[in-house]
mmCIF file of all heavy atoms in Angstrom:
data_model
loop_
_atom_site.group_PDB
_atom_site.id
_atom_site.type_symbol
_atom_site.label_atom_id
_atom_site.label_comp_id
_atom_site.label_asym_id
_atom_site.label_seq_id
_atom_site.Cartn_x
_atom_site.Cartn_y
_atom_site.Cartn_z
ATOM 1 N N TYR A 91 120.992 113.360 96.235
ATOM 2 C CA TYR A 91 122.100 114.254 96.553
ATOM 3 C C TYR A 91 122.714 113.821 97.873
ATOM 4 O O TYR A 91 122.080 113.148 98.684
ATOM 5 C CB TYR A 91 121.648 115.715 96.599
ATOM 6 C CG TYR A 91 120.566 116.027 97.605
ATOM 7 C CD1 TYR A 91 120.879 116.581 98.847
ATOM 8 C CD2 TYR A 91 119.228 115.786 97.301
ATOM 9 C CE1 TYR A 91 119.885 116.876 99.755
ATOM 10 C CE2 TYR A 91 118.229 116.066 98.213
ATOM 11 C CZ TYR A 91 118.553 116.631 99.436
ATOM 12 O OH TYR A 91 117.575 116.912 100.351
ATOM 13 N N ARG A 92 123.947 114.251 98.073
ATOM 14 C CA ARG A 92 124.657 113.812 99.261
ATOM 15 C C ARG A 92 125.138 115.032 100.051
ATOM 16 O O ARG A 92 125.154 116.152 99.552
ATOM 17 C CB ARG A 92 125.859 112.978 98.867
ATOM 18 C CG ARG A 92 126.922 113.756 98.118
ATOM 19 C CD ARG A 92 128.278 113.089 98.213
ATOM 20 N NE ARG A 92 129.356 114.023 97.932
ATOM 21 C CZ ARG A 92 130.613 113.811 98.249
ATOM 22 N NH1 ARG A 92 130.954 112.704 98.859
ATOM 23 N NH2 ARG A 92 131.539 114.701 97.975
ATOM 24 N N THR A 93 125.564 114.789 101.261
ATOM 25 C CA THR A 93 126.169 115.846 102.056
ATOM 26 C C THR A 93 127.599 116.070 101.581
ATOM 27 O O THR A 93 128.194 115.200 100.947
ATOM 28 C CB THR A 93 126.182 115.462 103.542
ATOM 29 O OG1 THR A 93 126.930 114.248 103.691
ATOM 30 C CG2 THR A 93 124.771 115.250 104.057
ATOM 31 N N SER A 94 128.167 117.225 101.899
ATOM 32 C CA SER A 94 129.525 117.540 101.467
ATOM 33 C C SER A 94 130.543 116.588 102.070
ATOM 34 O O SER A 94 131.591 116.324 101.492
ATOM 35 C CB SER A 94 129.891 118.980 101.823
ATOM 36 O OG SER A 94 129.761 119.177 103.231
ATOM 37 N N SER A 95 130.216 116.018 103.225
ATOM 38 C CA SER A 95 131.138 115.078 103.860
ATOM 39 C C SER A 95 131.087 113.708 103.205
ATOM 40 O O SER A 95 131.979 112.878 103.412
ATOM 41 C CB SER A 95 130.805 114.924 105.348
ATOM 42 O OG SER A 95 129.540 114.312 105.513
ATOM 43 N N GLY A 96 130.033 113.464 102.430
ATOM 44 C CA GLY A 96 129.904 112.170 101.760
ATOM 45 C C GLY A 96 129.424 111.067 102.652
ATOM 46 O O GLY A 96 129.434 109.901 102.266
ATOM 47 N N SER A 97 128.987 111.402 103.867
ATOM 48 C CA SER A 97 128.562 110.361 104.791
ATOM 49 C C SER A 97 127.054 110.197 104.851
ATOM 50 O O SER A 97 126.553 109.430 105.680
ATOM 51 C CB SER A 97 129.098 110.666 106.196
ATOM 52 O OG SER A 97 128.576 111.895 106.652
ATOM 53 N N ALA A 98 126.335 110.908 104.018
ATOM 54 C CA ALA A 98 124.888 110.747 103.968
ATOM 55 C C ALA A 98 124.401 111.065 102.566
ATOM 56 O O ALA A 98 125.006 111.864 101.844
ATOM 57 C CB ALA A 98 124.193 111.650 104.990
ATOM 58 N N VAL A 99 123.323 110.416 102.202
ATOM 59 C CA VAL A 99 122.713 110.669 100.907
ATOM 60 C C VAL A 99 121.215 110.763 101.101
ATOM 61 O O VAL A 99 120.648 110.128 101.999
ATOM 62 C CB VAL A 99 123.084 109.571 99.888
ATOM 63 C CG1 VAL A 99 122.441 108.240 100.244
ATOM 64 C CG2 VAL A 99 122.706 109.984 98.482
ATOM 65 N N TYR A 100 120.570 111.571 100.276
ATOM 66 C CA TYR A 100 119.147 111.785 100.372
ATOM 67 C C TYR A 100 118.475 111.465 99.043
ATOM 68 O O TYR A 100 119.093 111.572 97.988
ATOM 69 C CB TYR A 100 118.852 113.235 100.752
ATOM 70 C CG TYR A 100 119.512 113.657 102.036
ATOM 71 C CD1 TYR A 100 120.774 114.255 102.020
ATOM 72 C CD2 TYR A 100 118.890 113.445 103.257
ATOM 73 C CE1 TYR A 100 121.395 114.630 103.200
ATOM 74 C CE2 TYR A 100 119.503 113.819 104.446
ATOM 75 C CZ TYR A 100 120.754 114.407 104.412
ATOM 76 O OH TYR A 100 121.365 114.772 105.585
ATOM 77 N N LEU A 101 117.234 111.098 99.141
ATOM 78 C CA LEU A 101 116.422 110.887 97.944
ATOM 79 C C LEU A 101 115.152 111.704 98.116
ATOM 80 O O LEU A 101 114.283 111.356 98.914
ATOM 81 C CB LEU A 101 116.086 109.413 97.747
ATOM 82 C CG LEU A 101 115.313 109.083 96.475
ATOM 83 C CD1 LEU A 101 116.193 109.336 95.234
ATOM 84 C CD2 LEU A 101 114.823 107.634 96.476
ATOM 85 N N GLN A 102 115.077 112.803 97.385
ATOM 86 C CA GLN A 102 113.884 113.636 97.407
ATOM 87 C C GLN A 102 112.924 113.119 96.337
ATOM 88 O O GLN A 102 113.277 113.078 95.163
ATOM 89 C CB GLN A 102 114.233 115.092 97.134
ATOM 90 C CG GLN A 102 113.033 116.018 97.092
ATOM 91 C CD GLN A 102 112.357 116.148 98.439
ATOM 92 O OE1 GLN A 102 112.993 116.500 99.431
ATOM 93 N NE2 GLN A 102 111.056 115.870 98.486
ATOM 94 N N MET A 103 111.730 112.723 96.761
ATOM 95 C CA MET A 103 110.753 112.148 95.847
ATOM 96 C C MET A 103 109.551 113.065 95.752
ATOM 97 O O MET A 103 108.983 113.456 96.772
ATOM 98 C CB MET A 103 110.331 110.758 96.338
ATOM 99 C CG MET A 103 111.510 109.807 96.536
ATOM 100 S SD MET A 103 111.020 108.152 97.060
ATOM 101 C CE MET A 103 110.519 108.476 98.744
ATOM 102 N N LYS A 104 109.163 113.409 94.532
ATOM 103 C CA LYS A 104 108.028 114.287 94.304
ATOM 104 C C LYS A 104 107.074 113.645 93.307
ATOM 105 O O LYS A 104 107.436 112.716 92.596
ATOM 106 C CB LYS A 104 108.504 115.643 93.789
ATOM 107 C CG LYS A 104 109.399 116.407 94.734
ATOM 108 C CD LYS A 104 109.808 117.754 94.156
ATOM 109 C CE LYS A 104 110.691 118.530 95.130
ATOM 110 N NZ LYS A 104 111.103 119.857 94.580
ATOM 111 N N THR A 105 105.861 114.171 93.263
ATOM 112 C CA THR A 105 104.842 113.672 92.345
ATOM 113 C C THR A 105 104.791 112.143 92.391
ATOM 114 O O THR A 105 104.852 111.461 91.360
ATOM 115 C CB THR A 105 105.127 114.159 90.906
ATOM 116 O OG1 THR A 105 105.571 115.505 90.911
ATOM 117 C CG2 THR A 105 103.854 114.074 90.065
ATOM 118 N N MET A 106 104.654 111.650 93.565
ATOM 119 C CA MET A 106 104.717 110.204 93.755
ATOM 120 C C MET A 106 103.423 109.531 93.320
ATOM 121 O O MET A 106 102.339 110.139 93.339
ATOM 122 C CB MET A 106 105.023 109.880 95.210
ATOM 123 C CG MET A 106 106.365 110.446 95.675
ATOM 124 S SD MET A 106 106.787 110.007 97.345
ATOM 125 C CE MET A 106 107.145 108.258 97.136
ATOM 126 N N SER A 107 103.564 108.287 92.916
ATOM 127 C CA SER A 107 102.411 107.499 92.475
ATOM 128 C C SER A 107 102.420 106.160 93.205
ATOM 129 O O SER A 107 103.439 105.758 93.783
ATOM 130 C CB SER A 107 102.474 107.279 90.969
ATOM 131 O OG SER A 107 103.518 106.369 90.655
ATOM 132 N N PRO A 108 101.293 105.440 93.203
ATOM 133 C CA PRO A 108 101.250 104.125 93.852
ATOM 134 C C PRO A 108 102.318 103.169 93.332
ATOM 135 O O PRO A 108 102.743 102.265 94.069
ATOM 136 C CB PRO A 108 99.840 103.629 93.524
ATOM 137 C CG PRO A 108 99.041 104.887 93.424
ATOM 138 C CD PRO A 108 99.954 105.866 92.767
ATOM 139 N N GLU A 109 102.766 103.370 92.104
ATOM 140 C CA GLU A 109 103.815 102.516 91.549
ATOM 141 C C GLU A 109 105.155 102.715 92.249
ATOM 142 O O GLU A 109 106.077 101.915 92.063
ATOM 143 C CB GLU A 109 103.978 102.775 90.050
ATOM 144 C CG GLU A 109 102.837 102.244 89.181
ATOM 145 C CD GLU A 109 101.551 103.018 89.362
ATOM 146 O OE1 GLU A 109 101.626 104.248 89.592
ATOM 147 O OE2 GLU A 109 100.470 102.396 89.278
ATOM 148 N N ASP A 110 105.279 103.761 93.025
ATOM 149 C CA ASP A 110 106.513 103.999 93.782
ATOM 150 C C ASP A 110 106.526 103.249 95.116
ATOM 151 O O ASP A 110 107.526 103.290 95.839
ATOM 152 C CB ASP A 110 106.693 105.491 94.051
ATOM 153 C CG ASP A 110 106.895 106.295 92.780
ATOM 154 O OD1 ASP A 110 107.629 105.819 91.888
ATOM 155 O OD2 ASP A 110 106.309 107.392 92.673
ATOM 156 N N THR A 111 105.441 102.593 95.438
ATOM 157 C CA THR A 111 105.369 101.836 96.682
ATOM 158 C C THR A 111 106.365 100.691 96.671
ATOM 159 O O THR A 111 106.369 99.860 95.757
ATOM 160 C CB THR A 111 103.949 101.282 96.882
ATOM 161 O OG1 THR A 111 103.045 102.373 97.056
ATOM 162 C CG2 THR A 111 103.889 100.382 98.102
ATOM 163 N N ALA A 112 107.219 100.664 97.679
ATOM 164 C CA ALA A 112 108.261 99.642 97.744
ATOM 165 C C ALA A 112 109.059 99.821 99.033
ATOM 166 O O ALA A 112 108.902 100.827 99.731
ATOM 167 C CB ALA A 112 109.200 99.748 96.547
ATOM 168 N N VAL A 113 109.912 98.869 99.299
ATOM 169 C CA VAL A 113 110.938 99.049 100.320
ATOM 170 C C VAL A 113 112.144 99.660 99.614
ATOM 171 O O VAL A 113 112.612 99.123 98.606
ATOM 172 C CB VAL A 113 111.327 97.726 100.998
ATOM 173 C CG1 VAL A 113 112.455 97.954 101.992
ATOM 174 C CG2 VAL A 113 110.107 97.113 101.688
ATOM 175 N N TYR A 114 112.618 100.755 100.137
ATOM 176 C CA TYR A 114 113.738 101.472 99.535
ATOM 177 C C TYR A 114 115.012 101.162 100.314
ATOM 178 O O TYR A 114 115.050 101.289 101.542
ATOM 179 C CB TYR A 114 113.472 102.975 99.528
ATOM 180 C CG TYR A 114 112.503 103.383 98.449
ATOM 181 C CD1 TYR A 114 111.151 103.025 98.521
ATOM 182 C CD2 TYR A 114 112.927 104.092 97.328
ATOM 183 C CE1 TYR A 114 110.267 103.368 97.528
ATOM 184 C CE2 TYR A 114 112.043 104.456 96.316
ATOM 185 C CZ TYR A 114 110.712 104.088 96.425
ATOM 186 O OH TYR A 114 109.829 104.433 95.429
#
């Protein structure tokens, strides 16, 4: 999701697993 201004975005990650390990 992003801010209303469109100048930032977020990635909320839940129920994470070792397979999610990476550089994002």
